């Protein structure tokens, strides 16, 4: 999101509003600058009434610059917040109080009670028709419809939301474009997804992360050290003056300015902006982070768990062939496959019907007398009971176990067919009818273009990628090898995913994963970074600490990059700030104390005009560098797919050396300008 005039105007006004002492106290380093600005202002006012600490013009100049330092720090935070506030404003437009058609049950759909959306509670059922806005967050329990979610995701293409499966969740504020659905409300008024999203993007719900708190404690410790250094310098100055029998040339104004220059004000001013900007970059990727902690964790992730379907493969596996066992005709296999797929609304299930129609002209419709057996993650089978016929379709190992229990003979050639399909990277589905194995359906899985390069990038970043799939080990191994992942978990169950995450965490790894189904919720809750799909179930969203509005599982890779970029930016600017302090120390001290300690002149390598111009140059540089670094804090340090050691060395060289050289050059230039004006 680009900065516009409105955003800048709002940020400038917020900069002045943030001068409130309570707001300033939230940032201890900048609070010191704030108190110093007040103290120097008081010294200037005291000078007007006869008690002069230093030259009136000099004191006023220092006071003004210190106030500007506070304003620039406030501006950095306000401009970072402004991005979120602009996004929150557009989201508020989508959030409207509308009339909802509430019903008591599915059987009484025609008996509608019109209520305001604010009166809806979890568990209420509402009917939403074409052209209506969905009044609240919920799950579709009846029907299917195309929904316009552009108000939230920014994506204009409509999406399908239907009862059953993992694409049933709908969000309040989106619009139904076709058909009729019944939604079971899952959120209380004011606690919907849109409400949470508004609170997060505008920063109202932002809390300081553990890393941010730890860094702030470190900065406070540094500041305390510099306070002690400044007090010591004043003591030395007073002692030397008394010994030499001269008035103390070191004013309180100078010492306060010196303290501000030595304190880590650069990172102190930008610390909050860096964190907010990290969240903003995620928001721009259409990812809503429920906490800053999750973004930081993403930066430290070294194990990625990725679903095969929809992430590594296109997700729409297509039935390619019916492969019967010996003694069974292709048509009989196709017929049984169609029977077992009539209630299967997945793309795979529909492709079975299409293949049977194209090859054999088989056209069947669901009959009320049919008893359908739904697919579950535990059984990994589905089927139907109809006119004395019992048909099962599912993964080879699941059907084999079922056949063993039912004492059904397993044909020898079935294993060979399954192995051949698996070895080619396809997915075999075995069909069982009554007490006979009929054959195998060959499902083809297509690898997404460019995933190999992405996983190569991950490897260079030191991140291990693991593919999760319900396929058998042979199929999983073939796809894993083609995609270029480091490892895979085949025949994955909810418990299997959970156990794998716990095992990696026990060995000191940070784990990230994506999920969209209720069966993913336990694993998502266990993972350090859990990205739930916006299309997924409410349980998955509650378990995740991030929600991907685009519902793209590959987004996890971009999230990791943004997390690493956040940590790198914070580290780089901290390095720059501390290097700055060291440089300013050696630039200022000789110029300030040369009168009392003439031997320090040899250290005055910059040959600054005077002690006053040295201090003024340093505090001006101290204020301007904050403004100069705001774009970098917002954009982030550029991330490269390099090992951590190389990245650290590179950034230390750039921001460490840059932090030392820049103050020397800039302070000298500013001093030259000041000397011309005096």
């Amino acid at each position: 999101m680009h900065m516009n005039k409105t955003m800048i105007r709002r940020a400038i006004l917020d900069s002045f509003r943030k001068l409130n002492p309570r707001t300033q106290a939230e940032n201890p380093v900048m609070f010191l600058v704030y108190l110093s600005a007040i103290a120097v202002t008081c010294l200037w006012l005291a000078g007007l009434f006869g008690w002069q600490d230093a030259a009136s013009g000099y004191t006023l100049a220092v006071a003004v610059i210190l106030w500007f330092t506070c304003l620039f720090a406030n501006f950095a935070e306000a401009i970072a917040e402004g991005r979120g506030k602009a996004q929150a404003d557009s989201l508020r437009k989508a959030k409207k109080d509308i009339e909802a058609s509430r019903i008591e049950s599915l059987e009484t759909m025609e008996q509608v009670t019109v209520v305001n959306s604010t009166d809806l509670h979890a568990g209420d059922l509402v009917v939403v028709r074409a052209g209506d806005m969905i009044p609240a967050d919920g799950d579709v329990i009846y029907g299917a419809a195309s929904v316009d979610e552009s108000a939230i995701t920014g994506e204009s293409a409509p999406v399908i939301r239907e009862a059953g499966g993992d694409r049933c969740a709908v969000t309040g504020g989106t619009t139904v474009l076709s058909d009729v659905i019944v939604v079971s409300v899952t959120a209380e008024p004011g606690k919907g997804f849109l409400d949470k999203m508004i609170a997060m993007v505008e920063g109202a719900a932002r809390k300081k992360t553990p890393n941010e708190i730890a860094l702030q404690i470190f900065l406070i410790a540094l500041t305390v050290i510099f306070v002690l250094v400044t007090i010591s310098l004043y003591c030395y100055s007073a002692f030397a003056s008394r010994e030499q029998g001269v008035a103390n040339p070191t004013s309180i104004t100078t010492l306060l300015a010196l303290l501000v220059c030595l304190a880590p004000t650069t990172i102190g001013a930008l610390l909050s902006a860096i964190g907010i900007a990290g969240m903003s970059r995620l928001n721009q990727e259409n990812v809503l982070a429920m906490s800053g902690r999750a973004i930081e964790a993403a930066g430290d992730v070294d194990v990625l768990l990725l679903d095969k379907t929809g992430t590594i493969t296109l997700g729409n596996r297509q039935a390619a062939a019916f492969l019967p066992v010996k003694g069974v005709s292709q048509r009989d296999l196709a017929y049984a496959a169609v029977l077992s797929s009539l209630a299967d609304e997945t793309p795979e299930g529909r492709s079975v019907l299409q293949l049977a129609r194209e090859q054999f002209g088989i056209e069947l419709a669901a009959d009320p007398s049919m008893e359908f057996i739904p697919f579950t993650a535990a059984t990994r089978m589905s089927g139907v009971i109809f006119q004395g016929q019992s048909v099962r379709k599912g993964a080879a190992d699941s059907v084999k176990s079922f056949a063993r229990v039912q004492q059904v003979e397993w044909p020898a050639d079935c294993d060979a067919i399954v192995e051949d399909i698996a070895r080619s990277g396809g997915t075999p589905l075995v069909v069982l009818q009554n007490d006979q194995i009929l054959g195998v359906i060959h499902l083809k899985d297509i690898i997404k273009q460019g995933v190999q390069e992405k996983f190569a990038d991950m490897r260079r970043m030191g991140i291990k990628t693991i593919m999760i799939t319900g396929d058998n080990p042979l199929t999983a191994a073939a796809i894993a090898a083609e995609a270029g992942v480091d490892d895979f978990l085949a025949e994955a169950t909810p418990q299997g995913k959970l156990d794998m995450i716990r095992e990696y965490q026990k060995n000191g790894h940070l784990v990230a994963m994506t999920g969209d189904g209720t069966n993913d919720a336990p694993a998502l809750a266990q993972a350090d970074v859990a990205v739930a799909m916006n299309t997924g179930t409410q349980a998955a969203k509650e378990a995740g600490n991030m929600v991907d509005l685009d519902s793209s599982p590959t987004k996890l890779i971009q999230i990791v990059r943004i997390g690493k970029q956040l940590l790198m930016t914070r580290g780089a600017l901290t390095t720059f700030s501390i290097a700055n302090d060291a440089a300013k120390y050696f630039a200022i001290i000789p110029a300030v104390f040369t009168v009392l300690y003439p031997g320090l002149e040899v250290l005055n390598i910059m040959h600054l005009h005077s002690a006053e111009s040295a201090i003024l140059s340093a505090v001006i540089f101290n204020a301007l560098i904050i403004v100069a670094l705001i774009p970098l804090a917002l954009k982030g340090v550029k991330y490269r797919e390099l090992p951590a050691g190389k990245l650290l060395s590179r950034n230390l060289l750039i921001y460490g050396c840059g932090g030392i050289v820049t103050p020397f050059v800039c302070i000298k230039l500013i001093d030259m300008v000041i000397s011309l004006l005096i």
Side-chain angles (χ1 to χ4, degrees), residues 185-215:
V185 177
T186 55
E188 294 293 329
K191 296 181 180 178
F193 183 70
L194 209 57
D195 299 290
K196 291 179 186 175
M197 196 171 171
I198 290 168
M200 290 305 303
V201 299
E202 70 179 356
R206 185 183 119 82
K207 294 179 181 176
K208 287 179 179 168
T209 63
N211 279 358
E212 202 171 339
I213 293 168
L215 181 55

Side-chain angles (χ1 to χ4, degrees), residues 57-322:
Y58 167 70
T59 308
L60 178 62
V62 171
V64 170
I65 298 163
L66 292 183
W67 282 116
F68 269 107
T69 306
C70 293
L71 287 170
F72 291 159
N74 292 345
F75 180 78
E77 186 176 43
I79 204 74
E81 290 173 346
R83 294 179 168 194
K85 286 177 180 177
Q87 192 177 354
D89 289 343
S90 66
L91 288 171
R92 281 195 183 91
K93 293 175 183 175
K95 186 176 170 12
K96 299 173 183 173
D97 292 341
I98 56 173
E99 289 185 341
S101 302
R102 189 170 64 192
I103 60 172
E104 292 301 318
S105 67
L106 291 175
E107 290 74 28
T108 58
M109 280 182 59
E110 301 305 317
Q111 299 173 22
V112 171
T113 306
V114 178
V115 297
N116 194 285
S117 58
T118 54
D119 297 327
L120 293 173
H121 298 277
D124 287 347
L125 302 182
V126 291
V127 179
V128 191
R129 305 180 188 277
D132 293 346
M133 191 175 281
I134 295 170
D137 293 3
D139 292 328
V140 179
I141 61 168
Y142 172 81
S146 63
V147 180
D148 177 10
E149 295 185 342
S150 58
I152 294 169
T153 65
E155 180 57 57
S156 57
V159 292
I160 303 298
R161 294 288 175 264
E162 55 192 348
D166 295 335
R167 293 186 174 267
C168 62
V170 290
T171 307
T174 57
T175 306
V176 172
L177 300 178
S178 67
D179 303 298
V180 181
I181 53 174
V182 176
V183 176
S184 175
V185 177
T186 55
E188 294 293 329
K191 296 181 180 178
F193 183 70
L194 209 57
D195 299 290
K196 291 179 186 175
M197 196 171 171
I198 290 168
M200 290 305 303
V201 299
E202 70 179 356
R206 185 183 119 82
K207 294 179 181 176
K208 287 179 179 168
T209 63
N211 279 358
E212 202 171 339
I213 293 168
L215 181 55
Q216 195 167 64
I217 291 168
F218 171 67
L219 296 179
I220 292 168
L222 271 184
T223 303
V224 170
I225 291 168
F226 285 125
V227 168
L228 295 174
V229 167
T230 306
I231 293 170
S232 301
L233 288 173
Y234 183 77
C235 294
Y236 285 136
S237 178
F239 174 76
S241 302
R242 192 165 59 250
E243 288 295 307
Q244 296 177 29
V246 296
N248 190 354
T250 309
S251 63
I252 296 172
T253 300
T254 295
L255 286 170
L256 287 172
L258 179 63
L259 173 61
V260 169
C261 289
L262 297 183
T265 51
T266 309
I267 185 63
L270 297 172
L271 187 58
S272 183
I274 294 166
I276 296 167
M279 268 192 156
S280 180
R281 282 196 292 278
L282 261 190
N283 293 335
Q284 288 169 50
E285 293 289 336
N286 260 4
V287 177
L288 176 64
M290 299 303 177
S291 71
R293 186 191 296 257
I295 307 173
E296 278 189 356
D300 289 326
V301 158
D302 56 356
V303 176
L304 287 186
L305 299 186
L306 299 150
D307 272 334
K308 181 200 73 172
T309 308
T311 307
I312 296 167
T313 63
L314 290 173
N316 296 331
R317 293 180 297 181
Q318 301 293 310
F322 298 109

Side-chain angles (χ1 to χ4, degrees), residues 345-674:
E345 292 298 318
T346 63
E348 294 90 341
R350 293 187 187 115
S351 75
V352 171
L353 301 182
Q354 187 179 344
L355 184 65
R357 187 165 52 247
E358 289 173 357
Q359 290 192 355
F360 305 103
I362 299 172
E363 291 269 8
L364 293 176
D367 191 282
S369 63
M370 290 178 175
E371 184 188 338
F372 291 107
I373 301 156
F375 176 89
T376 67
T379 64
R380 296 168 61 230
M381 286 193 305
S382 62
V384 64
I385 299 172
F386 177 58
Q387 294 180 351
Q389 301 288 313
S390 175
V391 185
R392 296 288 192 282
K393 175 192 76 179
D397 61 313
S398 299
V399 177
K400 197 170 191 176
S401 299
F402 181 78
R404 195 181 298 118
V405 173
Q406 300 294 318
Q407 296 182 336
V408 174
E409 186 183 348
W410 186 266
D413 59 335
C414 189
D415 283 329
I417 296 169
V418 167
E419 273 191 43
D420 286 343
I421 294 171
R423 210 173 281 113
S424 69
T427 302
L429 292 181
V430 178
V431 179
L432 179 151
Q433 184 173 20
N434 295 335
D435 57 354
Q436 185 186 7
I437 300 293
L438 298 183
V440 187
I441 306 167
H442 181 183
L443 296 181
K444 276 191 175 176
D445 231 339
I446 303 165
I447 301 288
K448 281 186 176 179
Q449 195 174 358
V451 295
Q452 294 95 336
E453 289 80 2
K454 285 182 179 177
F455 292 137
D457 286 347
M458 293 287 106
R459 203 170 292 111
R460 283 195 291 273
M461 291 158 64
I463 296 171
K464 183 176 183 176
T465 51
I466 301 170
M467 181 183 79
I468 299 173
T469 176
D471 293 335
N472 64 66
L474 274 174
T475 304
I479 294 173
E482 189 180 347
V485 294
D486 298 310
D487 201 356
F488 62 89
L489 175 65
E491 298 174 350
T493 61
Q495 188 61 43
K497 295 177 192 177
L498 193 59
D499 292 343
M500 177 175 263
I501 292 171
R502 283 173 176 166
E503 186 63 29
Y504 274 108
Q505 288 174 332
K506 194 166 69 178
N507 293 326
H509 297 280
L510 259 71
V511 182
M513 78 164 285
T514 60
D516 59 359
T518 302
N519 65 328
D520 291 323
L524 285 170
Q526 183 66 38
D528 301 287
V529 178
V531 185
M533 302 294 103
N534 190 39
T535 57
T537 61
Q538 216 56 44
K541 287 185 185 178
E542 291 295 326
N545 46 30
M546 293 188 190
V547 177
D548 178 18
L549 302 179
D550 297 329
S551 300
S552 168
T554 52
K555 193 69 71 66
L556 188 54
I557 296 169
Q558 190 59 24
I559 290 168
V560 170
R561 281 196 173 129
I562 290 171
K564 287 187 176 295
Q565 191 183 35
L566 171 66
L567 294 177
M568 280 175 53
T569 304
R570 194 180 288 155
L573 291 183
T574 301
T575 303
F576 186 89
S577 180
I578 293 170
N580 255 336
D581 294 338
K584 284 182 284 189
Y585 188 90
F586 287 105
I588 299 167
I589 297 295
V592 172
F593 292 96
T594 300
V595 176
L596 291 173
Y597 301 99
L600 290 175
E601 182 62 35
V602 294
L603 296 177
N604 188 15
I605 55 176
M606 297 168 66
H607 302 292
L608 300 177
H609 183 262
S610 65
E612 286 78 10
S613 72
I615 284 291
L616 287 174
S617 301
V619 289
I620 290 171
F621 169 77
N622 202 55
L624 293 180
I625 197 66
I626 295 171
V627 179
L629 291 174
I630 288 175
L632 183 63
L634 298 182
K635 189 179 179 182
V637 173
K638 189 175 180 181
Y639 181 74
R640 291 172 172 81
E641 285 80 15
L642 295 169
K646 284 188 177 178
L647 278 174
L648 180 62
S649 303
R650 185 177 178 279
N651 286 338
L652 280 174
L653 182 66
I654 294 172
Y655 296 97
C657 295
I660 291 172
V661 173
T662 306
F664 279 100
V665 175
C666 293
I667 289 172
K668 179 60 181 177
L669 291 172
I670 296 168
D671 181 75
M672 289 168 66
V673 173
I674 290 173

